[in-house]
Amino acid sequence: MKDKITFKSYCWSVGTTSYRTQKFNLNIERQLALLKEFREFNNRFDWSRETQIDYYNFLKENEFVKGNAKRPDKDARQKTSGLVDIGLLDEKRNLTEAGDRLLKISQTKSFEDDNILELSQDSYIFFKQLLKTSNEVNGNIVRPFVVFLYIINKVKYLTKDEFRYLLPLCINENLTKYILKQMILSRRNEITYDEIIISIFMDMDNYKQALELFLKGTVTEKLMSVISINRKSSKNENIYYKIYM
């Protein structure tokens, strides 16, 4: 038996689910200002664990976050990872040219809609950055916002559940065409979202291997650990065994 079956993503994502906030664009612009101020006080800025903890405490001092995070370094990474994804920061949390431009617009309140789409200046930057944003998913380069525009052009609208559960499954041309067909079927109540999601990941080699092992093997804690395909910690995988038993 294999000791581990490798996790492979079957969907794209932008940022993390941990950064939920009201007035999203305004908070992004405020964080860019805070990050630039924080860097000015830290000449040797290396985005290490210690720096991340200091940054979290700096955000707390400036009332950008509340409470006491159990892992402030992780919280600091979560607060900034989405800004890296959309190209406003680089991996070392330096402001990029786009991030610096957005900050200047925010600080000078230059929100005129003098562009081809008649968007406010900050929204126009967000729009252009989202167009460029890409994910690498199993060897495929995916541009989520471009995929969204393509899908919405085909089906005219997306429900919240279609946006949350089906759109991120479009990681290549074939799957995008497949999702479009399944989306139409789901609107006719001919298939459920669960069935669509399962059909996609059960077509992947690692899940096929897991199912084959599960069906032919004796159910043990080790087997459950192998087929759980846990991409993070495996310390709680015995819970699956207990639930199954």
Side-chain angles (χ1 to χ4, degrees):
M1 184 193 301
K2 289 189 173 186
D3 292 328
K4 193 73 177 174
I5 296 178
T6 305
F7 171 84
K8 294 180 182 178
S9 181
Y10 50 85
C11 64
W12 51 258
S13 64
V14 177
T16 71
T17 57
S18 303
Y19 189 28
R20 304 182 184 96
T21 179
Q22 294 180 332
K23 299 180 180 178
F24 196 65
N25 57 331
L26 295 177
N27 274 288
I28 287 176
E29 291 160 15
R30 186 181 173 214
Q31 187 176 186
L32 290 176
L34 288 170
L35 187 54
K36 188 168 186 177
E37 183 182 345
F38 177 75
R39 290 184 64 86
E40 289 172 355
F41 290 115
N42 292 267
N43 295 325
R44 297 177 64 187
F45 190 95
D46 56 1
W47 199 240
S48 62
R49 181 175 180 274
E50 291 74 19
T51 307
Q52 292 159 14
I53 293 172
D54 289 342
Y55 179 60
Y56 173 83
N57 291 329
F58 180 75
L59 292 179
K60 188 175 176 181
E61 289 168 9
N62 284 273
E63 299 183 347
F64 190 83
V65 297
K66 296 179 180 179
N68 295 297
K70 291 183 179 179
R71 290 186 56 191
D73 56 320
K74 181 180 179 182
D75 230 56
R77 292 194 298 273
Q78 289 173 337
K79 290 288 184 292
T80 54
S81 62
L83 307 190
V84 174
D85 285 350
I86 64 173
L88 299 176
L89 302 175
D90 64 20
E91 291 289 347
K92 296 181 179 179
R93 274 47 176 187
N94 302 296
L95 270 69
T96 62
E97 184 179 349
D100 194 53
R101 173 66 179 150
L102 179 60
L103 179 58
K104 287 177 181 175
I105 288 171
S106 174
Q107 291 174 332
T108 59
K109 302 189 184 304
S110 305
F111 299 117
E112 299 85 1
D113 55 357
D114 57 351
N115 51 72
I116 192 170
L117 296 178
E118 297 184 354
L119 297 171
S120 63
Q121 288 298 321
D122 58 340
S123 295
Y124 191 46
I125 285 183
F126 282 120
F127 171 74
K128 290 190 289 184
Q129 291 307 114
L130 283 173
L131 280 176
K132 293 185 286 184
T133 297
S134 65
N135 267 199
E136 194 280 324
V137 186
N138 295 338
N140 300 300
I141 300 299
V142 186
R143 298 191 182 278
F145 191 55
V146 176
V147 171
F148 164 75
L149 294 175
Y150 175 78
I151 294 288
I152 204 80
N153 184 55
K154 294 291 185 181
V155 296
K156 307 309 176 188
Y157 71 91
L158 286 176
T159 67
K160 286 185 178 180
D161 282 347
E162 287 170 346
F163 183 84
R164 282 184 289 213
Y165 304 126
L166 301 185
L167 183 65
L169 299 173
C170 301
I171 63 171
N172 58 43
E173 183 179 358
N174 290 335
L175 277 173
T176 301
K177 291 177 179 177
Y178 175 76
I179 290 299
L180 275 170
K181 292 178 182 177
Q182 301 308 304
M183 197 178 287
I184 292 169
L185 292 177
S186 70
R187 291 180 179 183
R188 298 175 186 162
N189 296 318
E190 295 179 24
I191 193 169
T192 66
Y193 295 151
D194 285 350
E195 289 171 330
I196 297 170
I197 295 168
I198 290 171
S199 72
I200 287 178
F201 68 68
M202 286 310 301
D203 195 44
M204 297 175 67
D205 290 340
N206 55 339
Y207 285 95
K208 288 179 180 178
Q209 292 172 13
L211 178 60
E212 184 180 356
L213 282 174
F214 178 71
L215 293 177
K216 75 177 184 181
T218 302
V219 178
T220 62
E221 283 194 46
K222 182 178 179 181
L223 175 66
M224 295 300 276
S225 176
V226 170
I227 67 174
S228 68
I229 318 181
N230 197 315
R231 68 189 182 95
K232 292 186 178 179
S233 171
S234 60
K235 63 181 180 181
N236 294 321
E237 287 175 340
N238 65 327
I239 292 174
Y240 301 133
Y241 174 73
K242 292 177 181 177
I243 292 172
Y244 176 80
M245 297 308 292

